[in-house]
Amino acid sequence: MITSTIENYIKQIYLQQQENKSKLLPMGRLAAAMHVVPGTATAMVKTLADSGLVEYEPRSGIRLTHGGEQLALHVLRRHRVLESFLVEVLGLDWSEVHEEAETLEHAVSDKVLERMDLLLNRPQFDPHGDPIPTAKGQIKKIRLVPLTDLKPGHATIIARVADQDPAFLQFAEKNGLLPGVALTLIERDEQADSVQVRLQEKITVTLGGKAAEKILVRMATG
Amino acid sequence: MITSTIENYIKQIYLQQQENKSKLLPMGRLAAAMHVVPGTATAMVKTLADSGLVEYEPRSGIRLTHGGEQLALHVLRRHRVLESFLVEVLGLDWSEVHEEAETLEHAVSDKVLERMDLLLNRPQFDPHGDPIPTAKGQIKKIRLVPLTDLKPGHATIIARVADQDPAFLQFAEKNGLLPGVALTLIERDEQADSVQVRLQEKITVTLGGKAAEKILVRMATG
DNA sequence: AACTATATTTTGAATTATCAAAAGGATGTG
DNA sequence: CACATCCTTTTGATAATTCAAAATATAGTT
Ligand SMILES: [Mn+2]
Ligand SMILES: [Mn+2]
Ligand SMILES: [Mn+2]
Ligand SMILES: [Mn+2]
């Protein structure tokens, strides 16, 4: 049986693997991401391997099987459609929907999700700019770069805000750093670890490296 | 910690107790309602008693404490608001929402529920005519009677359809037996165990006793 | 009072998910 | 190569929830 614990592990494995594709995901990394002690992750990974969801190479790490990846994409779809629904239909703030979706993603049926998806007119991205996999498990791969990779004068559009921390999301919103917003890089000071961008005439924001890395934009000039 | 298992037991204890108020609810009845073997119910009831949610009198039965009743009403509220939401906002059929709500009732936060309640304009009854407890745990007590208690010529309004079985609900809908619908009792034949009602000019429905008992109407003439 | 049928509780075992702490393996430095 | 360090795995326990089957209590009936 696929429990919500399994869904959470598989989803996390998928997300962690995205960070460093091609390499096996080490157990320690998974344990940390799941907030469990390493032994717990090892035990769970064995049952995931028995279920054919991951390939497990002891003392090196794991990788999702095709089935595991499909499951991850389904859970991710539920999560992101739910986030969109909570923002668009119920009017919650984009900073609080991640936590809500974290629980609901294990409780909504395919039928209910389909209705939400329809009501939202089949959104392709969630409120944070993350792509929503289709019901068949296809996900858009778009090449995005963090603000820290732009050169002065480069004009583009914010595509994604890559942090689920409510405090950061509230900060981003207050400063107009939302997906879809146009921006131009003014300057980047390596030494000061800072990036300054202009959103509209007269509105500029300065971010430190850590924050700037979480704001992802399209490569092509928007 | 209040698990979904606990919520399901407490809700069921409340519902079963409503059937025969004043008396203790026997363990066998609870076990049957929860679809578990009697020993399982006994074990769970002991932990519920330890948590102060029920009073347990071995070999006689149980009753909810005040705290237990409040919890039951909160779960019931979530269940019924969700059912309303699924029907009104997502357009699911009234025959399928009970099952969906059975899972979602353990996953929605107070905040999300409040938004749904607001969007629905604070409904007082769910799609089946069951009263929705307020956030503070108040529930409307309305005296309803089954069709089998009406006398010929009595005109009234359907208030509640007391069965969650999708097949019965679909049957009821197809025959216009929905909450809010006006009806007049034409005749009742004790011997034939049948009840005939008129919904509108020319539209009459005949039901056997079992089915007629599930259609509840207001006492006062509607 | 004795017997029988029914309801309830106890016992023993399984499953899932977790932690703490001990044990074992891999790797890089000197 | 030997050792220290850092991972990872193993072991032993615990909590929650369940079932099957044995044991026990209650109530109803001769
Ligand atoms: Mn989750
Ligand atoms: Mn998101
Ligand atoms: Mn439930
Ligand atoms: Mn209902």
Side-chain angles (χ1 to χ4, degrees):
Chain A
M1 219 220 120
I2 289 170
T3 64
S4 60
T5 305
I6 290 179
E7 290 189 344
N8 283 333
Y9 270 87
I10 293 295
K11 184 179 63 168
Q12 200 57 60
I13 292 168
Y14 177 88
L15 291 173
Q16 293 297 317
Q17 197 133 60
Q18 291 304 101
E19 310 273 288
N20 194 334
K21 260 177 119 122
S22 80
K23 278 195 194 52
L24 287 183
L25 173 63
M27 298 304 290
R29 181 97 175 280
L30 175 60
M34 293 301 298
H35 307 107
V36 295
V37 300
T40 301
T42 300
M44 178 52 75
V45 157
K46 283 179 181 170
T47 76
L48 296 178
D50 287 347
S51 312
L53 294 168
V54 309
E55 282 170 47
Y56 171 43
E57 297 182 12
R59 297 198 179 273
S60 350
I62 53 176
R63 110 167 37 84
L64 289 180
T65 61
H66 177 72
E69 186 169 321
Q70 286 306 303
L71 176 56
L73 289 168
H74 274 43
V75 178
L76 226 38
R77 171 175 170 76
R78 294 203 292 264
H79 185 102
R80 291 175 181 170
V81 169
L82 278 163
E83 284 189 347
S84 304
F85 188 84
L86 293 173
V87 167
E88 302 296 332
V89 178
L90 293 183
L92 298 222
D93 193 79
W94 82 324
S95 67
E96 57 190 349
V97 295
H98 176 76
E99 199 56 36
E100 300 279 354
E102 205 54 53
T103 305
L104 287 169
E105 68 188 0
H106 311 294
V108 288
S109 68
D110 284 351
K111 179 172 268 165
V112 169
L113 198 84
E114 163 65 15
R115 295 302 179 108
M116 290 178 170
D117 192 43
L118 211 63
L119 189 58
L120 292 164
N121 206 24
R122 311 221 176 272
Q124 303 210 292
F125 298 94
D126 82 0
H128 314 102
D130 291 293
I132 299 177
T134 66
K136 277 169 191 144
Q138 322 262 190
I139 189 168
K140 272 212 168 61
K141 302 274 166 170
I142 303 165
R143 188 151 296 291
L144 298 178
V145 298
L147 281 188
T148 44
D149 281 15
L150 296 186
K151 295 202 184 85
H154 194 136
T156 180
I157 289 176
I158 299 177
R160 187 154 105 79
V161 178
D163 188 353
Q164 302 296 168
D165 177 28
F168 182 78
L169 291 175
Q170 276 159 29
F171 159 83
E173 182 170 29
K174 193 163 52 191
N175 288 92
L177 299 169
L178 298 169
V181 167
L183 108 203
T184 308
L185 191 111
I186 299 180
E187 73 163 329
R188 166 154 166 64
D189 186 331
E190 288 273 7
Q191 250 31 62
D193 183 41
S194 75
V195 175
Q196 192 176 19
V197 297
R198 181 194 313 290
L199 297 177
Q200 301 164 227
E201 290 310 315
K202 296 187 176 161
I203 299 186
T204 69
V205 182
T206 306
L207 300 171
K210 266 229 189 93
E213 265 175 15
K214 297 173 189 168
I215 310 295
L216 306 181
V217 302
R218 306 230 183 93
M219 282 277 268
T221 298
Chain B
M1 218 219 121
I2 289 171
T3 64
S4 59
T5 305
I6 291 178
E7 289 188 345
N8 283 333
Y9 270 88
I10 294 295
K11 185 180 62 167
Q12 201 56 60
I13 293 168
Y14 177 89
L15 292 174
Q16 293 297 318
Q17 197 132 61
Q18 291 304 102
E19 309 274 289
N20 195 334
K21 261 176 117 122
S22 83
K23 280 196 193 54
L24 287 184
L25 172 63
M27 298 304 291
R29 181 95 176 280
L30 175 60
M34 294 301 299
H35 306 107
V36 295
V37 300
T40 301
T42 300
M44 178 51 75
V45 157
K46 282 179 182 169
T47 76
L48 296 178
D50 287 347
S51 312
L53 293 169
V54 310
E55 283 171 47
Y56 170 44
E57 297 182 13
R59 300 203 174 265
S60 356
I62 55 176
R63 109 167 37 84
L64 289 180
T65 62
H66 178 72
E69 186 168 322
Q70 286 305 302
L71 176 55
L73 289 168
H74 274 74
V75 178
L76 227 37
R77 172 176 170 75
R78 295 204 291 265
H79 185 100
R80 292 176 180 170
V81 170
L82 279 163
E83 285 190 345
S84 305
F85 187 83
L86 293 173
V87 167
E88 302 295 331
V89 178
L90 293 183
L92 298 224
D93 193 80
W94 81 326
S95 67
E96 58 191 349
V97 295
H98 176 76
E99 199 55 37
E100 299 279 353
E102 205 54 52
T103 306
L104 287 168
E105 69 188 1
H106 312 293
V108 288
S109 68
D110 285 351
K111 179 174 270 165
V112 169
L113 199 83
E114 163 65 17
R115 294 300 179 109
M116 289 179 171
D117 193 44
L118 211 62
L119 189 58
L120 292 165
N121 206 24
R122 310 220 176 274
Q124 304 210 291
F125 299 93
D126 83 0
H128 314 102
D130 291 292
I132 300 177
T134 66
K136 279 169 189 141
Q138 322 263 188
I139 189 168
K140 271 212 167 64
K141 303 273 166 169
I142 303 164
R143 188 150 296 289
L144 298 179
V145 297
L147 281 188
T148 44
D149 281 16
L150 296 186
K151 295 203 184 85
H154 195 138
T156 178
I157 290 177
I158 299 177
R160 187 154 106 77
V161 178
D163 188 353
Q164 302 296 166
D165 176 27
F168 183 77
L169 292 174
Q170 276 159 29
F171 159 83
E173 182 171 28
K174 193 164 51 191
N175 289 92
L177 298 168
L178 297 168
V181 168
L183 111 200
T184 309
L185 191 110
I186 299 179
E187 73 163 327
R188 166 154 167 64
D189 184 331
E190 285 277 5
Q191 248 33 59
D193 183 42
S194 74
V195 174
Q196 189 175 20
V197 296
R198 182 194 313 290
L199 299 176
Q200 301 162 229
E201 289 312 314
K202 293 188 179 160
I203 299 186
T204 68
V205 183
T206 305
L207 300 171
K210 266 229 188 95
E213 265 175 17
K214 298 174 188 169
I215 310 296
L216 306 181
V217 301
R218 304 228 185 93
M219 281 279 267
T221 299

